[in-house]
Amino acid sequence: MAELPQIHSVHASQGSARSRASHAASGRPARPSLLSFFNWPFLLVIALLVSYGLLVCWSAVQGMEKYSFNRQLAGVGVGLAIMAVLWRFDYRRLANMTTALLVINVVLILLPHIPGLGTDAGMGAKSWIKIGMQVQPGEFAKVTVVLFAASLLARYQGTLDDWREYCKVLGMLLIPFACIMTQPDLGTGLVYLAISGVILVMGGARGRYLAITVVAGVAAIAAVFAVDELLKYETSPGVYEYRLLKNYQRRRLLVFLNPEADLSGDGYNLAQAKIAVGSGGLFGKGLLNATQSTHGFLPEAPTDFIFCVLAEELGFVGVVGLLALYAALIAICLSIARGADNLFGMLIVMGVVGMWLFQILENIGMDCGLMPITGIPLPFVSYGSSFMIVNFALIGLIGSVWSHRSMQGRKAA
C-alpha cells in the first residue's frame, strides 16, 4: 500500500483557506453554530427510530429472564456517548490508516479464539468474549470494516480499472470475512461482504470485474456444497456430519428452498414467523399481546425475529411506520454522502448505508420466507447492547462526515 497516493480533500483545503481568511478579517476564530454542526432532521429520524425500536423491544422481552431491557437501555446510553465523540472527531484523520485499520479488524474478530477469553455462542460458534460481561467483538468490527474498506478504495481516487490492483483490493477486503468464518459466524460475515461490496462499487471498480466476482462467488458456494458432500462422514446410522458447513447452516438453506418439507423440525421457525407476521392484520393485536412470542412458539423473538413481534402487535400500519423511518434514514444518509468533501467520507456513509440496507432486507425477508434464515439483527430494533452501540458509532461517523464538510459540500447536501 505504500506506493498508493495519500488521500487529500480539495474541498476541505479550499474551505480551510476561506475559513482562515474569515478568521483573519474578523480577528477572532469562527465557531460553527449548532444549526450547521448537527444535522437535525437526521437526529430526529434517529430519535424516532430508536424510540420505536425500544418500545417494540420492551414488549418482546417481557416475561423472558434471558433478556434484560435495562441492558438495552444501557447500550443506548453508551452508544449516545460514543456517537457524540465520533460526531466531533474529524474522520479525515483516519483516511491513510488502511493498514492499522486492517490490523484492528483482524485482532477484534480473532479475540474469541484467545483461551480463557472467548466463550461459546451456541451451535459451535465462538463469537463472544467475557470481560465482566459478554461482548461480541465481531459486531464492533463492523465499524472498522467500514473504515478499512473506505480507506482502501479511496486511495484509488474513484477509478479501479487495473485487474491486478482489483484482485489485490478484493483479497484484502476478504480478510475480515475469512477471519469471522473461523468462529464461524456466517451472518456477520455476510454483513462484512455487503459493506465491502457497496464500497467496492461506489469506489469505482470496473463493472466487468464486479460481474466476474459475483459469478466466481456463486461458483464458490456451489463448490463448497459439492466438496462437503464428498467429505461428509457418518456419525451414526443415517446421520452425517459435514466438514465445511455446519449442519444447521445447511438445514437453514434447505428450509429456505423447501419450507414445507419439515414443519415440525427445521421448518418450524419459519412457519411460526409467517404465522406471527400474518396474524397481525391491519392494526395488530396491541403491545404485549403477541401470542406467538409470549407463548413460546417463536424462538429468539427479541433478536432474530423481532420484526415478527412488531408485525403481530402493531400490524401492517406498524410495519409501514418502521419502513418509513428506515426510508427517511437512508434518504438523509444519501444526501450526506452527496455533500461529502472527499471520496473517503462518501464511501464511509455508503458503506454504512449498505450495511443497514442489507440487514433490513435480510431480517425482514427471512421472517417472511423471502430470504434464508440467518442470525442478522434488525437495526435499532433487535435486542442487543453491542449491536445498539455499533449502530450509534456508525451514526457518529456519518455525523462526522456531515459536520466536517466544506462550504461546497454544504450546498450539495
Side-chain angles (χ1 to χ4, degrees):
M1 300 303 298
E3 74 279 5
L4 295 176
Q6 298 290 295
I7 302 170
H8 300 286
S9 172
V10 176
H11 294 164
S13 299
Q14 293 173 346
S16 297
R18 284 191 291 267
S19 178
R20 286 193 297 269
S22 175
H23 295 174
S26 64
R28 65 179 184 276
R31 295 181 180 179
S33 67
L34 287 177
L35 290 177
S36 62
F37 190 76
F38 290 108
N39 187 320
W40 296 104
F42 183 42
L43 291 177
L44 175 61
V45 169
I46 292 297
L48 292 174
L49 187 55
V50 172
S51 299
Y52 194 17
L54 286 175
L55 180 66
V56 176
C57 184
W58 168 80
S59 179
V61 302
Q62 295 305 305
M64 298 186 181
E65 296 182 0
K66 180 181 177 181
Y67 303 100
S68 169
F69 185 68
N70 288 335
R71 183 173 179 180
Q72 187 77 348
L73 291 176
V76 172
V78 174
L80 283 170
I82 294 175
M83 181 195 78
V85 171
L86 290 177
W87 195 298
R88 187 173 180 81
F89 176 78
D90 189 345
Y91 73 96
R92 291 169 294 190
R93 296 168 61 180
L94 303 173
N96 296 300
M97 296 179 62
T98 310
T99 302
L101 289 168
L102 177 59
V103 171
I104 294 172
N105 258 321
V106 172
V107 171
L108 275 175
I109 298 170
L110 296 182
L111 276 178
H113 292 296
I114 298 178
L117 186 62
T119 180
D120 199 321
M123 296 186 179
K126 200 166 217 180
S127 306
W128 298 76
I129 60 174
K130 280 187 176 181
I131 48 174
M133 61 179 180
Q134 284 195 342
V135 176
Q136 192 173 3
E139 280 292 326
F140 293 99
K142 291 175 181 177
V143 178
T144 49
V145 166
V146 170
L147 292 171
F148 161 65
S151 173
L152 179 61
L153 267 297
R155 290 173 175 268
Y156 291 89
Q157 302 178 18
T159 304
L160 182 54
D161 53 7
D162 182 87
W163 174 248
R164 288 171 297 182
E165 290 297 313
Y166 176 81
C167 290
K168 181 171 72 173
V169 168
L170 187 63
M172 295 184 70
L173 291 176
L174 288 174
I175 291 175
F177 176 77
C179 290
I180 200 70
M181 289 308 295
T182 63
Q183 294 185 3
D185 186 348
L186 180 59
T188 304
L190 291 175
V191 175
Y192 293 171
L193 291 183
I195 294 170
S196 300
V198 170
I199 292 179
L200 197 61
V201 172
M202 300 304 298
R206 180 172 288 186
R208 181 174 60 187
Y209 300 161
L210 294 170
I212 293 173
T213 302
V214 171
V215 172
V218 173
I221 294 173
V224 166
F225 278 89
V227 171
D228 236 4
E229 284 294 328
L230 296 176
L231 297 179
K232 69 180 181 181
Y233 58 95
E234 194 171 21
T235 57
S236 59
V239 178
Y240 294 91
E241 188 70 31
Y242 296 86
R243 298 181 184 275
L244 300 181
L245 290 175
K246 298 291 184 181
N247 282 357
Y248 75 89
Q249 293 172 332
R250 296 177 63 91
R251 290 196 299 267
R252 284 178 174 179
L253 181 59
L254 294 175
V255 165
F256 169 68
L257 296 175
N258 187 9
E260 309 298 327
D262 187 10
L263 294 179
S264 61
D266 296 328
Y268 176 82
N269 290 355
L270 178 56
Q272 295 302 320
K274 288 181 177 181
I275 292 173
V277 171
S279 65
L282 183 60
F283 297 105
K285 302 174 181 177
L287 290 173
L288 303 177
N289 291 324
T291 56
Q292 294 301 108
S293 58
T294 56
H295 293 171
F297 296 110
L298 189 65
E300 305 299 334
T303 54
D304 297 350
F305 294 98
I306 190 72
F307 177 77
C308 299
V309 177
L310 185 151
E312 187 176 7
E313 293 186 344
L314 302 177
F316 179 76
V317 173
V319 169
V320 170
L322 177 67
L323 295 180
L325 289 173
Y326 280 141
L329 173 67
I330 299 304
I332 294 174
C333 288
L334 293 178
S335 175
I336 294 174
R338 186 173 62 250
D341 270 353
N342 50 54
L343 183 61
F344 179 54
M346 186 272 285
L347 292 178
I348 288 176
V349 180
M350 293 307 300
V352 177
V353 168
M355 186 194 96
W356 282 339
L357 279 176
F358 176 75
Q359 291 183 310
I360 292 167
L361 294 174
E362 170 58 31
N363 185 278
I364 295 177
M366 76 177 188
D367 291 346
C368 300
L370 302 176
M371 300 288 283
I373 293 178
T374 59
I376 294 178
L378 191 61
F380 302 102
V381 182
S382 288
Y383 178 89
S385 55
S386 296
F387 181 56
M388 188 66 76
I389 292 171
V390 167
N391 282 312
F392 273 108
L394 294 172
I395 293 170
L397 286 176
I398 296 174
S400 179
V401 174
W402 164 266
S403 61
H404 293 92
R405 69 203 188 285
S406 64
M407 291 304 298
Q408 184 172 337
R410 292 171 196 266
K411 292 177 182 178

